[in-house]
Amino acid sequence: MSKLSHNARRELLTLGRPVVTSAGMPLVHQGEHRTYFTLILAGLVKVSIDADNGTSALLGLRGPGELLGELDGQPSYTTVTTVQETIVRHITRKEFLAFLSLYPEATIALLQVINNRLRQSDQRRLDLTAYPAVVRLARILVELADSHGTWRGEELHTGIAISQPDLASLAGVSLPTAEKALAQLQSRNILTRRYRSISVPDLERLRLVAEHGL
């Protein structure tokens, strides 16, 4: 929404109906045929996908200003679950398409979001073959810190309750490999692990690992 004009943002926020959802609740089910889009106003959700063999992969996290929904009208190919209490607006497909017609700038902003996600997906695919696990995990943690982090004294907290299996999934590594890489970073005082929480005492060193490795 940050790329929209004041008038467009104001109009968008009048559409649909607001809904408050507690943590751990599904907003979208994979395979669900939805007749509306969901605009995140506050909170955080995780986007995952299930394979036919039962394997699940975490694709990413979405926060305020992000839109959930399929523009082509097809069933959802992902499941979306709240990480914390989340406030959204459910906007009917008819309302949202009318909004795009009225504000062409919104269509451009939406295309930019899609392009950025494709670029991020391509980068993750490259990372899988070109970089070791510790670099991939460091890059995920830098993304989380930049997007959701908050400073507490001299430490940057990633700002979300995320499990090690989720981190491993985001980085495309096994859980034992992720645990080993996180232990390496912690042994060098680059990060501190707590239950479902990671703080970063030295963000610049973490950025260096994300670029060049240990």
Side-chain angles (χ1 to χ4, degrees):
M1 287 198 301
S2 61
K3 298 181 182 297
L4 299 180
S5 66
H6 173 74
N7 287 340
R9 283 198 304 272
R10 184 176 59 184
E11 177 69 21
L12 181 59
L13 292 174
T14 66
L15 302 179
R17 57 186 177 86
V19 176
V20 179
T21 306
S22 58
M25 299 299 293
L27 284 176
V28 182
H29 293 277
Q30 184 173 329
E32 177 184 5
H33 195 104
R34 305 169 80 231
T35 58
Y36 57 90
F37 294 89
T38 298
L39 176 66
I40 303 173
L41 301 179
L44 193 70
V45 304
K46 60 181 181 180
V47 182
S48 60
I49 189 168
D50 296 323
D52 292 338
N53 64 2
T55 302
S56 181
L58 180 61
L59 301 182
L61 300 166
R62 304 284 184 263
E66 298 267 16
L67 187 74
L68 310 172
E70 309 299 329
L71 286 170
D72 59 4
Q74 295 297 308
S76 175
Y77 70 97
T78 60
T79 292
V80 180
T81 309
T82 56
V83 175
Q84 55 193 225
E85 183 177 87
T86 300
I87 304 173
V88 302
R89 292 192 80 91
H90 292 316
I91 304 171
T92 67
R93 183 176 181 81
K94 181 179 179 180
E95 282 181 303
F96 187 68
L97 294 181
F99 169 76
L100 293 180
S101 297
L102 187 61
Y103 293 96
E105 66 185 86
T107 301
I108 295 173
L110 190 58
L111 289 174
Q112 289 174 336
V113 169
I114 294 170
N115 184 67
N116 289 339
R117 288 184 184 170
L118 288 172
R119 183 182 292 117
Q120 184 183 59
S121 176
D122 289 343
Q123 183 62 53
R124 292 264 177 89
R125 190 174 303 164
L126 173 63
D127 288 353
L128 284 173
T129 58
Y131 298 101
V134 69
V135 170
R136 279 140 57 190
L137 274 168
R139 291 185 174 186
I140 294 298
L141 290 170
V142 167
E143 285 181 23
L144 295 178
D146 286 342
S147 300
H148 310 289
T150 56
W151 287 96
R152 298 177 191 171
E154 296 183 352
E155 284 193 345
L156 179 66
H157 291 247
T158 52
I160 58 173
I162 187 167
S163 66
Q164 289 189 16
D166 280 347
L167 278 175
S169 185
L170 281 173
V173 300
S174 67
L175 180 56
T177 300
E179 290 174 339
K180 181 180 178 180
L182 290 170
Q184 287 179 298
L185 294 171
Q186 183 162 340
S187 69
R188 289 165 170 78
N189 297 317
I190 296 174
L191 59 78
T192 301
R193 289 182 291 172
R194 299 181 180 88
Y195 176 69
R196 296 182 68 86
S197 173
I198 292 178
S199 58
V200 183
D202 197 334
L203 182 58
E204 291 312 310
R205 285 181 66 197
L206 183 63
R207 291 190 193 280
L208 287 175
V209 174
E211 290 297 322
H212 307 294
L214 289 172

